[in-house]
């Protein structure tokens, strides 16, 4: 027998309408590129999102059309977050830090019909503009708009603020993010309205991020990194004040916003928080952070010394989280269970540096070589996940089917242990990638490029632990007999092919590379050989 509940779809239309109707005076604050502060309200944001949705329809946006954004965190970007899916489109956020080659690939793969771009990011767009064919380019501007593009304000100004999206199926696609995590071409993860709404509900729970209407939330994690971990959606759902740092991501600018806007919850990758900790240590008491209840850290492992440094020296609480683009993205959050809060401080710190427990509706399993890994905190296994906010395949990419198991789980490529309480700890990655400051670098792409140099016989690129960036790439190179190539020459050779942050920090010349029985480069042995490697200052 079925229940007798209404068939009410979980869509972003409800999230936006509720915020506009019940919290019209709630503030949304953004820092502009010229560092000035822009203030608006949910009431105004609701109206402007309606105008943008009408404008997009006028421009011919059809159901399912992809609309790209190339933009920092600000309130106009938030308008697009809602207007695009309400108008039937699919929001495709682009990461301006990627190479022009990758950006062009993603825009073409997604077949983006419209691109919304920050005026300060037009030089990034210019680098791949000739390789893409969007119908319209709309500029989030603060001055003159270049020829051939539309000005955002002029476009939405004459439109009606009333927008009727009509019925939206909760399974309809609302957003797409590309992940360039593993080797090969970036892959699109296509989120439905339902997944984004469920993710908002799950992440707002008190034992997840814990969001209330009374909070003030500043996502430092960019809106182009898995939808700023879903915060623009979850914050709008609960109706809390949102603060956006724009392009000003240096520690003093971020600290000033945290203090002046009385932020209660902020979120970003460890590299950002390491920079902020250093600034706070140098200027103790310079910023009033009394309102700040928690700093969510994810994207890479939170170092225990950083968790302890914030807590002991500044009374600030780090909340460690793990997730993936394929998971919308939150998978686990680390809060100490009430039964474990009487444990000694050192034990609690050890626990808080783990990736934590799964949030509701994320199922985890660690699969070792001989089946499920025991919950003993020692046995390792590949972390596999399933749930309603987790991708079941990639956009137009059947070649990646091996990322999904036959019995319906997603293989994360992270290697974990699980302790007897269920806390997971990531110990390694089976995927051949390097994560530096929250951005991916493909070791295989670098190796392939290096092996294209006439003097290079073999090259393997490995991740080496770095105090600021978490990991940095180091290239191990074997030259062909009788050939020469300096570190400088190899660097110049790679430069045009990669974004600057993706280039190896160092080149180590070797006689030969260690290999596995099947002839693959043995990265674990290389990492072991380089364990005492020091980056030059
Ligand atoms: P992305 O899809 O770019 O969000 O990257 C997801 C990957 O980042 C995960 O599979 C992990 O390898 C890594 N990652 C994310 N959060 C953490 C964390 N808290 N600790 C360690 N690794 C993390």
């Amino acid at each position: 027998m079925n229940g007798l509940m209404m068939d009410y779809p979980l869509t972003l239309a409800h999230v936006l309408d509720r915020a506009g109707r019940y919290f019209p005076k709630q503030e949304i604050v953004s820092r502009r590129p010229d560092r000035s502060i822009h203030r608006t309200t949910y009431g105004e944001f609701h109206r402007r999102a309606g105008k943008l949705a009408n404008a997009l329809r006028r421009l011919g946006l059809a159901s399912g059309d992809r609309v790209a954004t190339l933009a920092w965190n600000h309130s106009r970007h938030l308008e697009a977050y809602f207007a695009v899916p309400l108008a039937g489109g699919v929001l495709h956020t682009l990461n301006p830090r990627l190479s022009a080659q990758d950006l062009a690939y993603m825009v073409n793969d997604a077949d983006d019909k419209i691109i919304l771009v920050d005026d300060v990011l037009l030089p990034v767009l210019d680098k791949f503009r000739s390789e893409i064919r969007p119908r319209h380019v709309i500029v989030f501007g603060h001055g003159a708009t270049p020829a051939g593009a539309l000005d955002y304000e002029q476009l939405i100004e004459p439109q009606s603020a009333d927008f009727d999206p009509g019925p939206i199926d909760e399974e309809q696609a609302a957003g797409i993010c590309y992940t360039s995590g593993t080797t090969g071409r970036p892959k699109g993860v296509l989120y439905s309205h339902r997944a984004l709404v469920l993710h908002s509900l799950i992440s707002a729970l008190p034992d997840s991020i814990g969001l209330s209407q009374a909070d003030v939330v500043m996502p430092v994690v960019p809106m182009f990194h898995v939808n700023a971990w879903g915060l623009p959606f979850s914050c709008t759902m609960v109706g809390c004040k949102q603060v956006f740092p724009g392009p000003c991501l240096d520690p003093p600018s971020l600290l000033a916003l945290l203090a002046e806007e009385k932020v209660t919850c902020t979120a970003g990758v460890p590299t950002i928080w390491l920079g902020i900790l250093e600034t706070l240590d140098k200027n103790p008491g310079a910023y009033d952070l009394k309102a700040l209840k928690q700093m969510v850290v994810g994207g890479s492992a939170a170092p225990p010394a950083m968790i302890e440094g914030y807590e002991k020296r500044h009374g600030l609480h780090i909340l460690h989280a793990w997730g993936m683009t394929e998971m919308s993205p939150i998978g686990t959050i680390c809060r100490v269970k009430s039964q474990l809060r009487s444990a000694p401080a050192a034990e609690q710190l050890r626990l808080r540096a783990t990736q934590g427990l799964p949030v509701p509706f994320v199922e985890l399993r660690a699969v070792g070589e001989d089946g499920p890994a025991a919950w003993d905190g020692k046995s390792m296994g590949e972390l596999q996940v399933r749930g309603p906010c987790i991708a079941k395949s990639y956009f137009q990419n059947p070649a990646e089917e091996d990322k999904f198991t036959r019995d319906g789980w997603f293989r994360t490529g992270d290697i974990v242990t699980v302790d007897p309480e269920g806390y997971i700890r990531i110990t390694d990655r089976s995927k051949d990638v390097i994560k530096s400051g929250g951005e991916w670098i493909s070791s295989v792409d670098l190796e392939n490029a290096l092996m294209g140099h006439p003097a290079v016989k073999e090259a393997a690129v490995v991740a080496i632990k770095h105090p600021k960036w978490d990991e940095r790439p180091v290239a191990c190179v074997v030259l062909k007999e009788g050939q020469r190539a300096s570190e400088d020459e190899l660097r110049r050779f790679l430069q045009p092919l990669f974004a600057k942050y993706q280039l190896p920090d160092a080149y180590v010349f070797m006689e030969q590379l260690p290999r596995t029985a099947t002839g693959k480069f043995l990265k674990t042995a290389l990492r072991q050989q380089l364990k005492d490697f020091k980056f030059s200052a």
Side-chain angles (χ1 to χ4, degrees):
M1 189 200 290
N2 285 346
L4 289 171
M5 294 294 118
M6 289 183 184
D7 190 8
Y8 184 93
L10 305 179
T11 73
L12 295 173
H14 173 83
V15 175
L16 176 68
D17 274 347
R18 180 173 183 273
R21 186 181 297 256
Y22 294 104
F23 310 109
K25 297 189 196 116
Q26 184 65 281
E27 265 192 308
I28 300 170
V29 180
S30 315
R31 199 191 276 286
R32 293 198 184 100
D34 67 358
R35 309 187 51 77
S36 63
I37 296 287
H38 171 265
R39 286 177 196 280
T40 184
T41 60
Y42 274 25
E44 190 55 19
F45 150 62
H46 187 196
R47 282 189 289 279
R48 286 170 57 88
K51 281 170 174 270
L52 174 58
N54 276 317
L56 291 171
R57 284 263 175 94
R58 286 262 156 89
L59 290 177
L61 190 82
S63 176
D65 279 352
R66 270 75 68 195
V67 177
T69 59
L70 188 61
W72 297 107
N73 293 11
H74 50 65
S75 62
R76 286 162 162 173
H77 204 171
L78 186 68
E79 288 157 15
Y81 258 57
F82 284 87
V84 171
L86 262 64
V90 181
L91 181 83
H92 175 197
T93 49
L94 294 169
N95 179 349
R97 294 178 184 139
L98 295 176
S99 66
Q101 214 180 0
D102 273 349
L103 285 164
Y105 173 82
M106 289 174 189
V107 170
N108 288 327
D109 189 65
D111 191 17
D112 294 324
K113 300 283 191 258
I114 296 176
I115 298 191
L116 292 139
V117 53
D118 276 355
D119 52 2
V120 290
L121 290 173
L122 281 165
V124 176
L125 180 63
D126 283 346
K127 288 199 185 135
F128 64 99
R129 182 71 184 86
S130 60
E131 288 161 56
I132 57 172
R133 306 268 169 279
R135 280 198 226 121
H136 304 281
V137 172
I138 303 170
V139 181
F140 292 133
H142 302 89
T145 305
L150 300 164
D151 174 71
Y152 182 76
E153 293 301 327
Q154 283 176 14
L155 176 76
I156 68 168
E157 202 275 324
Q159 304 295 328
S160 162
D162 291 325
F163 178 76
D164 177 9
I168 301 177
D169 181 341
E170 64 175 19
E171 295 292 357
Q172 196 171 306
I176 183 165
C177 288
Y178 277 73
T179 168
S180 37
T182 40
T183 52
R185 288 304 211 170
K187 310 175 292 269
V189 177
L190 197 56
Y191 308 108
S192 59
H193 278 259
R194 174 185 154 84
L196 295 178
V197 169
L198 284 174
H199 185 268
S200 303
L201 288 163
I202 292 166
S203 56
L205 289 170
D207 287 331
S208 299
I209 295 182
L211 295 173
S212 134
Q213 185 271 331
D215 271 311
V216 180
V217 179
M218 180 166 99
V220 179
V221 49
M223 289 167 92
F224 52 76
H225 268 177
V226 216
N227 305 322
W229 300 346
L231 286 166
F233 298 123
S234 51
C235 291
T236 305
M237 183 191 74
V238 301
C240 67
K241 174 172 162 181
Q242 300 186 54
V243 180
F244 295 112
C248 309
L249 298 174
D250 56 293
S253 301
L254 292 174
L255 280 161
L257 263 191
L258 289 171
E260 282 155 23
E261 299 303 326
K262 300 196 171 29
V263 170
T264 61
C265 171
T266 178
V269 295
T271 303
I272 290 278
W273 304 126
L274 285 167
I276 295 225
L277 182 59
E278 200 184 343
T279 309
L280 284 177
D281 284 345
K282 283 190 195 140
N283 311 276
Y287 301 92
D288 177 359
L289 300 178
K290 278 198 282 298
L292 193 55
K293 286 187 300 195
Q294 63 182 12
M295 309 165 85
V296 186
V297 176
S300 290
M306 182 180 89
I307 301 179
E308 196 176 22
Y310 270 111
E311 192 102 24
K312 288 214 169 130
R313 301 199 290 279
H314 306 285
L316 292 169
H317 187 79
I318 295 275
L319 184 65
H320 191 194
W322 164 85
M324 295 185 73
T325 306
E326 290 87 339
M327 301 178 71
S328 299
I330 297 178
T332 64
I333 299 248
C334 189
R335 290 195 188 265
V336 179
K337 289 183 195 175
S338 55
Q339 299 89 324
L340 301 175
R341 289 193 197 148
S342 52
E347 168 57 14
Q348 291 201 45
L349 177 66
R350 186 202 65 77
L351 203 58
R352 287 187 43 214
T354 69
Q355 278 70 20
L357 298 173
V359 294
F361 293 101
V362 168
E363 266 190 79
L364 303 183
R365 70 180 187 190
V367 183
E369 279 181 3
D370 314 313
W375 283 26
D376 57 7
K378 291 194 227 55
S379 310
M380 287 194 234
E382 186 200 31
L383 183 60
Q384 301 184 353
V385 293
R386 67 177 180 189
C389 308
I390 298 173
K392 64 177 174 191
S393 62
Y394 291 104
F395 179 61
Q396 309 184 130
N397 204 332
E400 295 285 344
E401 286 312 303
D402 63 336
K403 300 285 180 309
F404 303 89
T405 67
R406 283 218 191 112
D407 59 343
W409 294 70
F410 170 65
R411 308 161 67 120
T412 66
D414 288 322
I415 308 296
V416 296
T417 57
V418 189
D419 81 3
E421 293 284 344
Y423 285 78
I424 64 153
R425 194 167 71 82
I426 296 187
T427 56
D428 203 353
R429 270 201 299 263
S430 63
K431 44 197 176 194
D432 217 357
V433 280
I434 300 158
K435 205 166 199 189
S436 172
E439 303 280 359
W440 287 116
I441 300 171
S442 162
S443 50
V444 174
D445 286 354
L446 283 169
E447 287 158 7
N448 289 343
L450 274 171
M451 288 192 268
H453 186 282
V456 173
K457 182 173 163 207
E458 294 178 340
V461 177
V462 288
I464 300 291
K465 274 275 162 213
H466 188 280
K468 176 168 180 200
W469 301 106
D470 186 30
E471 294 175 356
R472 289 295 303 151
V474 170
C476 304
V477 179
V478 179
L479 293 178
K480 288 182 188 155
E481 231 179 273
Q483 301 272 357
R484 280 162 181 266
S486 67
E487 182 162 341
D488 254 4
E489 184 179 336
L490 295 180
R491 188 167 293 126
R492 275 198 306 274
F493 180 73
L494 292 182
Q495 246 158 16
L497 305 171
F498 292 90
K500 201 163 152 231
Y501 76 88
Q502 295 173 325
L503 294 171
D505 274 20
Y507 297 76
V508 180
F509 293 93
M510 299 183 162
E511 293 287 307
Q512 57 179 31
L513 296 175
R515 289 178 185 276
T516 64
T518 52
K520 286 189 193 167
F521 298 142
L522 193 55
K523 298 272 178 97
T524 44
L526 268 179
R527 281 204 293 260
Q528 185 60 24
Q529 279 182 34
L530 295 174
K531 73 179 181 339
D532 298 324
F533 181 88
K534 292 270 172 301
F535 291 96
S536 46

